[in-house]
Amino acid sequence: EPEVTQTPSHQVTQMGQEVILRCVPISNHLYFYWYRQILGQKVEFLVSFYNNEISEKSEIFDDQFSVERPDGSNFTLKIRSTKLEDSAMYFCASSVLQGGSEQYFGPGTRLTVT
Amino acid sequence: AQSVAQPEDQVNVAEGNPLTVKCTYSVSGNPYLFWYVQYPNRGLQFLLKYITGDNLVKGSYGFEAEFNKSQTSFHLKKPSALVSDSALYFCAVREGSNYQLIWGAGTKLIIKP
């Protein structure tokens, strides 16, 4: 069964450093998403991406964040200058369509900012 | 504003008994409703969804959920719980034209042998 994959599984970085989190969505999916979950808190939407552009973003997704689909398979989330409060589990997801389509999630990348 | 409430942090059920995990939602338009399960150190796994049609929807692993528009609820149910059902369960809602899922806080389900 096709799966969303994410690398790395755990990333430790120092405050102020740039990080890139990588995701490979399911191959025939057209919509891509990033969510995060700070320890002990709700899952929060960051951004959705369709047709090579951002379709929706939350207030969390400020200028520090960017997304890219550099080739036909990868979908990346870049945080330019990490802050302590960026420490969280970051989930990538993809779906065939928007609307009522379920989103399929990767296993997550745990980002620890020290 | 859209929101999802899962009023129980934890639900304890004996194996073989029926289980219910509660979810209520608030959206201004027509909702798309989803249940996901998260096992330790794993991602969020899709269980079932309500889009339209029958209020009772069936999903993976014998789970089902009942959509109640008047009570704005979408409770997850299973007739006979298994120990392996122990996990964290999340309810999520999406309003028609939006892309994002809005999540509940999650309910920890513990099934005791």
Side-chain angles (χ1 to χ4, degrees), chain A residues 8-113:
Chain A
S9 57
H10 191 191
Q11 173 94 47
V12 181
T13 189
Q14 289 189 330
M15 194 168 49
Q17 295 297 304
E18 175 183 287
V19 295
I20 297 176
L21 309 183
R22 291 184 165 79
C23 169
V24 178
I26 294 173
S27 61
N28 65 332
H29 286 188
L30 301 177
Y31 295 81
F32 315 112
Y33 313 84
W34 283 101
Y35 291 83
R36 78 174 185 189
Q37 185 178 28
I38 296 171
L39 190 62
Q41 297 187 22
K42 288 187 178 185
V43 177
E44 299 173 294
F45 170 77
L46 294 177
V47 66
S48 62
F49 192 84
Y50 170 69
N51 200 25
N52 284 318
E53 60 183 28
I54 291 173
S55 47
E56 189 176 352
K57 62 181 181 179
S58 71
E59 292 177 354
I60 302 168
F61 194 87
D62 60 21
D63 292 343
Q64 296 272 73
F65 293 89
S66 63
V67 289
E68 193 178 31
R69 189 156 162 82
D71 53 42
S73 59
N74 290 283
F75 179 51
T76 62
L77 174 70
K78 182 191 289 185
I79 309 175
R80 287 191 185 80
S81 179
T82 50
K83 298 176 274 193
L84 293 176
E85 53 265 37
D86 294 328
S87 295
M89 182 72 92
Y90 287 80
F91 292 106
C92 172
S94 67
S95 64
V96 175
L97 299 171
Q98 190 244 356
S101 283
E102 59 270 28
Q103 296 174 15
Y104 290 89
F105 284 77
T109 293
R110 179 164 297 285
L111 177 64
T112 302
V113 183

Side-chain angles (χ1 to χ4, degrees), chain B residues 8-12 87-89 106-110:
Chain B
E8 303 150 319
D9 291 336
Q10 184 169 308
V11 171
N12 298 296
L88 193 55
Y89 290 81
T107 298
K108 186 175 183 180
L109 178 64
I110 297 176

Side-chain angles (χ1 to χ4, degrees), chain B residues 18-88:
Chain B
L19 69 87
T20 299
V21 182
K22 295 179 181 177
C23 171
T24 59
Y25 66 90
S26 174
V27 298
S28 55
N30 290 324
Y32 298 128
L33 293 154
F34 304 83
W35 275 101
Y36 285 81
V37 60
Q38 186 177 34
Y39 297 100
N41 301 315
R42 300 283 295 276
L44 296 152
Q45 185 175 344
F46 170 73
L47 273 181
L48 52 77
K49 67 180 179 182
Y50 172 82
I51 305 301
T52 187
D54 286 343
N55 290 339
L56 185 66
V57 294
K58 295 185 184 296
S60 307
Y61 312 120
F63 283 93
E64 57 190 29
E66 186 167 11
F67 171 65
N68 187 316
K69 187 173 183 178
S70 62
Q71 297 185 4
T72 61
S73 66
F74 189 55
H75 300 332
L76 181 71
K77 300 181 180 184
K78 187 172 181 180
S80 179
L82 299 172
V83 172
S84 57
D85 292 330
S86 298
L88 193 55

